[in-house]
């Protein structure tokens, strides 16, 4: 069983819509969670992190964490074609080793 | 210093050769990580350093792989006797330990192709 699971997609949304990306994790000891965006052939770029239950907003992005359900999500409001990329969810425990999911490919259709 | 840098960006080698990659982290970052990523997969943890100390090494890392960070600044990753299965993107990331939010910033990666 993978420690961090994501639907590989692709997830297709029309321009201007809300994209919802989901992630589950198996290690209850995980403390911090990260969302990275990765364009094809490029390295991951940090979008945001969250470590408290609830929502965290940063511009068009909102991360949501539910530790009881071991569930993390990322909402992208007003999706743009430039948001088309693979989104990686990552989790880390107290010793800072980060485990990544396989990523969800997002396609924003103009 | 604008970010993590890696050198070379691309490396093509023949099976059995040794290769060495370099990573220069963001200057004030005390932690440095190496990952490997293959197509369609997320980055896979290889090893990490806090300052010059190598604190963890993945069980997946064979003895052909070795990493160093001699002065707590740049790091090198060496792969000896390369195999075709070593073909991947090798990513370096760095962070400054700030408790729970140990946010890692990635370099551009080194793409290795083993023929």
């Amino acid at each position: 069983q993978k420690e961090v699971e994501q639907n590989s997609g692709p997830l297709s949304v029309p321009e201007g819509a809300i994209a919802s990306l989901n992630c589950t994790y198996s290690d209850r000891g995980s403390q911090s969670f990260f969302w990275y965006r990765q364009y094809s052939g490029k390295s991951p770029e940090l979008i945001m992190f969250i470590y408290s239950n609830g929502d965290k907003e940063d511009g068009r992005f909102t991360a949501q964490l539910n530790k009881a359900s071991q569930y993390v999500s990322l909402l992208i409001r007003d999706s743009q074609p430039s948001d088309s990329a693979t989104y990686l969810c990552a989790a880390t425990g107290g010793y800072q080793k980060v485990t990544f999911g396989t990523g969800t490919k997002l396609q924003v259709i103009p | 210093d604008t970010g993590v840098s890696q050198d070379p960006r691309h490396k093509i080698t023949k099976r059995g050769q040794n290769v060495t990659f370099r990573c220069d982290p963001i200057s004030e970052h005390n932690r440095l990580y190496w990952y490997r990523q293959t197509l369609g997969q997320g980055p896979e943890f290889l090893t990490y350093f806090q300052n010059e100390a190598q604190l963890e090494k993945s069980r997946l890392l064979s003895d052909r792989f070795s990493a160093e960070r001699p002065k707590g600044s740049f790091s090198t990753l060496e792969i000896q006797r390369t195999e075709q299965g070593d073909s991947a993107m090798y990513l370096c990331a760095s962070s400054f330990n700030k408790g729970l939010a140990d946010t890692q910033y990635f370099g551009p990666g080194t793409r290795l192709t083993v023929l």
Side-chain angles (χ1 to χ4, degrees):
Chain A
Q1 181 189 6
K2 279 194 171 291
E3 295 179 34
V4 177
E5 295 211 35
Q6 298 181 254
N7 187 319
S8 61
L11 172 67
S12 295
V13 299
E15 184 175 355
I18 296 175
S20 177
L21 303 160
N22 304 315
C23 169
T24 58
Y25 61 95
S26 60
D27 183 0
R28 284 198 173 273
S30 298
Q31 298 180 3
S32 301
F33 305 88
F34 303 85
W35 283 101
Y36 286 85
R37 177 174 61 198
Q38 188 172 28
Y39 293 111
S40 180
K42 303 295 185 182
S43 63
E45 172 192 9
L46 179 71
I47 296 175
M48 61 194 306
F49 66 87
I50 186 168
Y51 52 83
S52 298
N53 273 327
D55 295 0
K56 180 180 180 182
E57 186 175 320
D58 184 359
R60 296 188 296 114
F61 299 95
T62 298
Q64 299 174 317
L65 173 60
N66 183 325
K67 290 187 177 180
S69 300
Q70 295 177 246
Y71 178 88
V72 193
S73 66
L74 179 70
L75 301 178
I76 307 175
R77 289 181 298 281
D78 188 24
S79 296
Q80 300 297 309
S82 59
D83 295 326
S84 297
T86 295
Y87 289 79
L88 297 164
C89 174
T92 183
Y95 48 89
Q96 306 303 339
K97 173 190 168 184
V98 176
T99 302
F100 284 84
T102 55
T104 298
K105 186 172 183 179
L106 173 66
Q107 294 177 339
V108 180
I109 312 300
Chain B
D1 190 337
T2 56
V4 180
S5 62
Q6 292 185 246
D7 183 72
R9 297 289 302 276
H10 302 273
K11 179 70 176 178
I12 299 174
T13 191
K14 292 183 179 179
R15 188 176 52 186
Q17 297 295 304
N18 299 344
V19 295
T20 300
F21 309 142
R22 176 180 169 125
C23 172
D24 287 89
I26 294 171
S27 59
E28 64 268 25
H29 284 184
N30 60 345
R31 289 186 171 178
L32 187 148
Y33 302 78
W34 285 100
Y35 294 87
R36 177 173 61 191
Q37 187 176 25
T38 54
L39 195 63
Q41 301 298 313
E44 174 188 37
F45 171 80
L46 295 178
T47 189
Y48 98 92
F49 294 83
Q50 180 154 311
N51 300 313
E52 66 275 9
Q54 187 173 18
L55 296 187
E56 188 170 350
K57 188 174 176 179
S58 169
R59 292 189 303 268
L60 301 174
L61 212 60
S62 77
D63 56 7
R64 296 185 297 106
F65 288 72
S66 62
E68 294 183 341
R69 194 184 183 197
K71 297 182 180 178
S73 56
F74 73 92
S75 176
T76 58
L77 176 69
E78 181 182 18
I79 309 174
Q80 296 182 326
R81 304 181 304 281
T82 52
E83 302 173 355
Q84 288 185 326
D86 297 331
S87 295
M89 176 77 88
Y90 289 83
L91 295 164
C92 175
S94 71
S95 70
F96 183 75
N97 182 20
K98 287 193 286 186
L100 289 177
D102 186 24
T103 305
Q104 298 180 24
Y105 296 90
F106 282 84
T110 294
R111 183 168 296 282
L112 173 65
T113 302
V114 182
L115 302 177

